Amino acid sequence: CTSSDVVNGCVTTRTLVYTARDACNNTTTCARTFTWTTDTTPPTFDNCVGGNTDLGCNPTVLPKCDAGVTATDNCGPAKVTCASSDVVNGCVTTRTLVYTASDACNNQTSCTQTFTWTTDTTPPTFDNCVSGNTDLGCNPTNLPVCDPGVTASDNCGPATVTCTSSDVVNGCVTTRTLVYTARDACNNTTTCARTFTWTTDTTPPTFNNCVSGNTDLGCNPTNLPVCDPGVTASDNCGPAAVTCTSSDVVNGCVTTRTLVYTARDACNNTTTCARTFTWTTDTTPPTFDNCVSGNTDLGPNPTVIPGCDAGITASDNCGSATVTCAFTDSSTGCSNVRTVTYTARDACGNTATCTRTYTWGAAGQICATKYYDANANGVRDPGEPGIPGWKFRLSDGQTGFTDANGRVCFNSTGAGTYTVTELSPIQNNWAATTPTTCQVTISASNCSAECSFGNYCFSNPSRGLTIGYWRNKNGRRVLEQNDPAWRTLLNSLNLRKADGSLFTVPTSGSFSNAFDAWAVYLQGANATNMAYMLSAQLGATSLNVAFNGLSDATTIIVPGGVKSGSTCLVPFLSTTQAIVCGAPPLLTLTGQPGSSACGCNSNNGATTIGNLRNRAVCLLGTYNVTTSAGTPRTYEECVKNLLDMINNNGNNGSPCGGLTQYVNPSSTNCPITFP
């Protein structure tokens, strides 16, 4: 027997050959072969990684045995098997995958993979958070913030709580929202929102219509003040309510009532408005302390006639009383009576009177009054002062001068007719507006007489410059110094061209272009269209007023005899004419008669330069084309002629005369000297 081994890797083949040999050397063999594997090394995995893997929460794909896991053996193929087992602990599942690699010799190697995951879709629940809205009212001192004490619980373990704070401001109202969020390990969340609202307002309301202060209602008012429901207030943060209280304090005859209005807003900020009303309740008149009423006869021609006595006093139950006095004189025949009346008046207007009468006989008296007739109408109008220092003569030879009030009196020498004459001063710029003599009669039944005399002083017309001046080099120099004011002035006057259209001085461009247009306009002025000629004269007068010292307030005297064409100018302009701008009358008749040399019978007329210009502007605005005869053309011609006279210093060559006088506004600077 022979034995031989063949080793191939892990496999060994042993052959035993038995040989039977006989004596002849014949042989027979019997071979037996034995094969075995020599292997104690387990396989190794090719791609299995053992260990623990946390799949987190609620995985969508769960691990399972992977058929792709393989193993390699040093002695041949290896077979891989896998076993899966789960262990559930509450919300956590642990899955174990055990891969076993076995070779032909049953050598084994294992690879264990452990997967852990949490199955949790239930959100946490708050332990102590109450959601909802809370109104903190006005101006809270402690404002809400996130509370670290808010906690939450979860079915699968702990939960964390976070908080965010956000404010929304709307005017005075702030809304703070605290949002608590509870989150578990699987990111399941629950929120709890708490809303706090408060008003920030320290500004008190303001009253809309309450005026504080003190009001004196005087005496015995019929309507006493009470709280006014119409008083309202406004607030920066919403409505305000107004309440009112009334309280009275009585002190003797005087009552003081205080009305206190209180405006209150929703945050209890308040504003007060106090109104105090005071009144006196008194219907009892004062009483005189030392006045004795009655009659006293002073006899004939007394040297002193009693007047008011400053020592008369009176007392009142509610305070002091003032005493006033007035006296009136009357005559019956030559008997004179002076009635002196004392009036005691208290603060409430209650009055008591005490009357004392004095009678006496006297010789006749003749008095003259001289007044400044500023509007030359022959009537003493309110406000027209007396003229002192004017000399008068009585027909019996007495002379005298007016006092500070413009009054002078003469004693008559007996019954009869007397003439009072005003004398003329040396200065010749004074004109009478009433007759210069006054005839009176003194008799047994008429012991006194009065005469009244009106005068004004005047200056000759001046400050008038013609339309020719305002288009020559002299006028050009003045207008250039007042550019563009002169353009604006002329363009406000309704000036008309020959065809009736408006003439406008160019407001833009050079002065030279504007002046040339104005000069050409004046040069072409004619009366074919009376509105054109009136416009030229009005323009010149207006420039005289603006730039040459002529005053709109100056009163002019128009002689009653002057004519405008065939029209007696003063009678025409001193009456209302039936046209637009024909009323009121432009001229007021004075007390001075005019000359009738030209066939006009009228007193002089008076107006102001301003009235005259305004009337011209009115006419030009209404009647722009006056080429035909009629009242509008006649009226425009009369006004044009007056403006022409002013622009020619009173005389424009009219055969019946022009303006004669400019009335001085007062007697100031009008000296009076008599021979």
Side-chain angles (χ1 to χ4, degrees):
C1 177
T2 59
S3 176
S4 61
D5 292 342
V6 177
V7 179
N8 183 11
C10 295
V11 178
T12 300
T13 303
R14 178 170 286 180
T15 305
L16 298 179
V17 179
Y18 291 92
T19 303
R21 188 180 300 275
D22 59 20
C24 286
N25 207 30
N26 293 306
T27 60
T28 301
T29 60
C30 175
R32 297 188 70 180
T33 301
F34 299 91
T35 301
W36 71 89
T37 300
T38 303
D39 183 10
T40 60
T41 303
T44 57
F45 282 98
D46 299 325
N47 52 357
C48 180
V49 180
N52 298 324
T53 302
D54 190 343
L55 299 179
C57 291
N58 305 315
T60 56
V61 178
L62 297 177
K64 58 185 180 178
C65 289
D66 184 359
V69 173
T70 61
T72 303
D73 189 66
N74 62 323
C75 291
K79 179 182 179 180
V80 178
T81 61
C82 177
S84 175
S85 63
D86 291 348
V87 176
V88 179
N89 184 9
C91 298
V92 178
T93 301
T94 301
R95 175 168 289 177
T96 303
L97 300 180
V98 179
Y99 293 91
T100 302
S102 302
D103 59 15
C105 290
N106 207 32
N107 296 306
Q108 294 182 337
T109 301
S110 64
C111 175
T112 302
Q113 293 183 337
T114 302
F115 298 90
T116 303
W117 68 87
T118 302
T119 303
D120 183 12
T121 59
T122 302
T125 57
F126 281 97
D127 301 325
N128 52 356
C129 181
V130 180
S131 61
N133 300 326
T134 302
D135 190 342
L136 301 178
C138 292
N139 307 315
T141 55
N142 295 317
L143 296 179
V145 294
C146 289
D147 182 2
V150 173
T151 60
S153 301
D154 189 63
N155 62 321
C156 290
T160 59
V161 177
T162 59
C163 176
T164 61
S165 176
S166 61
D167 291 350
V168 175
V169 179
N170 185 8
C172 300
V173 178
T174 300
T175 300
R176 175 167 292 176
T177 303
L178 303 180
V179 180
Y180 293 90
T181 302
R183 188 181 304 274
D184 62 17
C186 286
N187 213 32
N188 298 306
T189 59
T190 300
T191 59
C192 174
R194 301 193 64 182
T195 302
F196 299 88
T197 303
W198 69 88
T199 302
T200 303
D201 181 13
T202 59
T203 302
T206 56
F207 283 97
N208 299 324
N209 52 355
C210 181
V211 180
S212 61
N214 301 325
T215 301
D216 190 341
L217 300 178
C219 292
N220 307 315
T222 55
N223 295 315
L224 296 179
V226 294
C227 287
D228 182 1
V231 173
T232 59
S234 300
D235 188 64
N236 63 320
C237 292
V242 177
T243 59
C244 175
T245 61
S246 175
S247 60
D248 291 351
V249 176
V250 179
N251 184 9
C253 300
V254 178
T255 300
T256 300
R257 175 168 291 175
T258 302
L259 302 180
V260 179
Y261 294 89
T262 302
R264 187 181 305 273
D265 62 18
C267 286
N268 213 32
N269 299 305
T270 59
T271 301
T272 59
C273 172
R275 301 193 65 182
T276 302
F277 299 88
T278 304
W279 68 88
T280 303
T281 303
D282 180 15
T283 59
T284 303
T287 56
F288 281 96
D289 300 324
N290 52 357
C291 181
V292 179
S293 59
N295 299 326
T296 302
D297 190 346
L298 302 177
N301 298 316
T303 56
V304 176
I305 301 173
C308 292
D309 181 358
I312 299 297
T313 59
S315 302
D316 189 64
N317 64 319
C318 286
S320 60
T322 59
V323 177
T324 59
C325 175
F327 62 83
T328 58
D329 293 341
S330 62
S331 298
T332 303
C334 292
S335 176
N336 301 292
V337 178
R338 172 167 290 179
T339 302
V340 181
T341 302
Y342 295 91
T343 301
R345 185 182 303 271
D346 64 17
C348 285
N350 300 305
T351 60
T353 58
C354 175
T355 302
R356 303 189 68 175
T357 303
Y358 301 91
T359 58
W360 72 94
Q365 189 179 59
I366 302 168
C367 294
T369 300
K370 170 64 70 176
Y371 64 91
Y372 192 81
D373 195 356
N375 58 6
N377 66 352
V379 177
R380 188 174 190 179
D381 298 306
E384 291 185 333
I387 304 175
W390 200 282
K391 188 175 183 179
F392 281 87
R393 176 183 291 117
L394 193 64
S395 55
D396 65 0
Q398 298 182 70
T399 59
F401 291 87
T402 54
D403 61 16
N405 297 316
R407 187 173 171 82
V408 61
C409 293
F410 303 99
N411 289 326
S412 65
T413 55
T417 298
Y418 297 84
T419 300
V420 181
T421 302
E422 68 168 41
L423 302 182
S424 298
I426 293 175
Q427 293 80 7
N428 61 3
N429 64 330
W430 282 91
T433 61
T434 58
T436 58
T437 62
C438 173
Q439 194 173 74
V440 297
T441 298
I442 300 297
S443 66
S445 60
N446 182 30
C447 291
S448 63
E450 294 282 340
C451 292
S452 182
F453 299 84
N455 285 75
Y456 64 84
C457 65
F458 62 88
S459 57
N460 292 325
S462 61
R463 296 291 178 185
L465 298 172
T466 65
I467 58 177
Y469 175 89
W470 289 112
R471 63 183 178 87
N472 66 24
K473 64 180 180 180
N474 296 319
R476 177 191 177 98
R477 188 180 305 111
V478 174
L479 297 184
E480 189 168 17
Q481 293 170 351
N482 294 278
D483 190 53
W486 70 279
R487 309 191 206 189
T488 303
L489 169 64
L490 292 178
N491 289 340
S492 68
L493 301 177
N494 292 332
L495 302 184
R496 299 295 175 174
K497 301 178 185 177
D499 63 357
S501 62
L502 277 173
F503 168 72
T504 303
V505 181
T507 55
S508 60
S510 67
F511 167 79
S512 295
N513 288 342
F515 180 80
D516 290 346
W518 169 240
V520 170
Y521 175 76
L522 288 182
Q523 187 172 13
N526 62 74
T528 301
N529 178 10
M530 189 59 67
Y532 186 8
M533 199 68 235
L534 173 60
S535 295
Q537 295 296 347
L538 173 61
T541 305
S542 299
L543 293 175
N544 290 331
V545 170
F547 308 121
N548 197 47
L550 190 65
S551 173
D552 269 339
T554 299
T555 298
I556 59 173
I557 301 298
V558 183
V562 70
K563 276 190 172 182
S564 177
S566 61
T567 301
C568 291
L569 193 149
V570 173
F572 182 77
L573 293 182
S574 62
T575 56
T576 297
Q577 300 298 328
I579 60 170
V580 177
C581 311
L586 178 58
L587 298 180
T588 300
L589 292 178
T590 73
Q592 297 171 284
S595 169
S596 59
C598 288
C600 298
N601 186 16
S602 171
N603 283 3
N604 295 341
T607 190
T608 65
I609 292 175
N611 288 341
L612 188 61
R613 289 203 308 124
N614 289 338
R615 190 61 57 93
V617 172
C618 177
L619 290 166
L620 293 174
T622 307
Y623 303 105
N624 58 320
V625 177
T626 47
T627 55
S628 302
T631 302
R633 178 181 173 89
T634 300
Y635 209 117
E636 286 189 344
E637 183 178 9
C638 290
V639 174
K640 180 268 296 184
N641 283 336
L642 288 179
L643 293 173
D644 190 5
M645 294 173 189
I646 292 172
N647 297 336
N648 280 273
N649 285 326
N651 191 352
N652 64 345
S654 172
C656 294
L659 301 182
T660 59
Q661 301 165 358
Y662 285 177
V663 176
N664 292 335
S666 71
S667 60
T668 305
N669 299 326
C670 293
I672 307 172
T673 304
F674 291 90

